[in-house]
């Protein structure tokens, strides 16, 4: 699970099988404790949503705060960079009307 | 939280403040469900442990299965690649003697 602010959202696309897909990036920042030391951490993460989640994200705007649940996977067989596959999206400010 | 197999472990080092630190990489693979489709996913993740966790990892061997809990952060101000900062380590096969 990860909270963050939406940075960029690409356009809603469809896979050859007709499944909606939307890639985006989020900025995460939080206070964390590590070896008894409090520290501020931050990172940017590439994420992708498929199906109804992609359609939900199509209505989102950069800057919106979200809580994401999903799994990490390699971007592709050739690229080891990580991408968060999102299974659950919660908008944290105000209610976000559904799809 | 993430399970995986240890790939490479660097040597135990110490920060200027004398805190033990150990970097390593793990390979994660699992079956995940995404937009109602089951799929096998995998990735390799850079991780770092500090303090007692670093000393615990110093006794680990590549190939061992572990369950890690922690937080994601950017590798450095200049590098956006992600690194998992590990706060909890559980060895999944047999018991691993403590520090």
């Amino acid at each position: 699970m990860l909270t963050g602010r939406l940075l960029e959202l690409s356009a809603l696309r469809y896979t050859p099988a007709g499944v909606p897909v939307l890639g985006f990036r989020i900025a995460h920042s939080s206070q964390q404790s590590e070896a008894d030391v409090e520290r501020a951490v931050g990172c940017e993460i590439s994420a992708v949503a498929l199906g109804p989640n992609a359609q939900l994200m199509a209505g989102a705007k950069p800057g919106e705060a979200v809580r994401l649940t999903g799994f990490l996977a390699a971007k592709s067989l050739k690229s080891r960079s990580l991408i968060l596959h999102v299974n659950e999206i919660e908008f944290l400010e105000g209610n976000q009307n559904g799809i």
Side-chain angles (χ1 to χ4, degrees), chain A residues 9-74:
Chain A
L9 298 110
S10 48
L12 185 66
R13 293 178 296 111
Y14 293 84
T15 67
V19 177
V21 54
L22 190 142
F24 59 98
R25 285 182 67 76
I26 76 163
H28 164 75
S29 59
S30 61
Q31 276 299 112
Q32 297 286 343
S33 167
E34 185 175 38
D36 302 326
V37 174
E38 280 295 313
R39 54 175 291 193
V41 298
C43 58
E44 291 182 13
I45 297 183
S46 297
V48 64
L50 278 91
N53 282 330
Q55 290 166 319
L56 183 63
M57 287 307 291
K61 303 274 177 302
E64 285 189 56
V66 289
R67 176 178 293 126
L68 306 175
T69 307
F71 57 89
L72 286 172

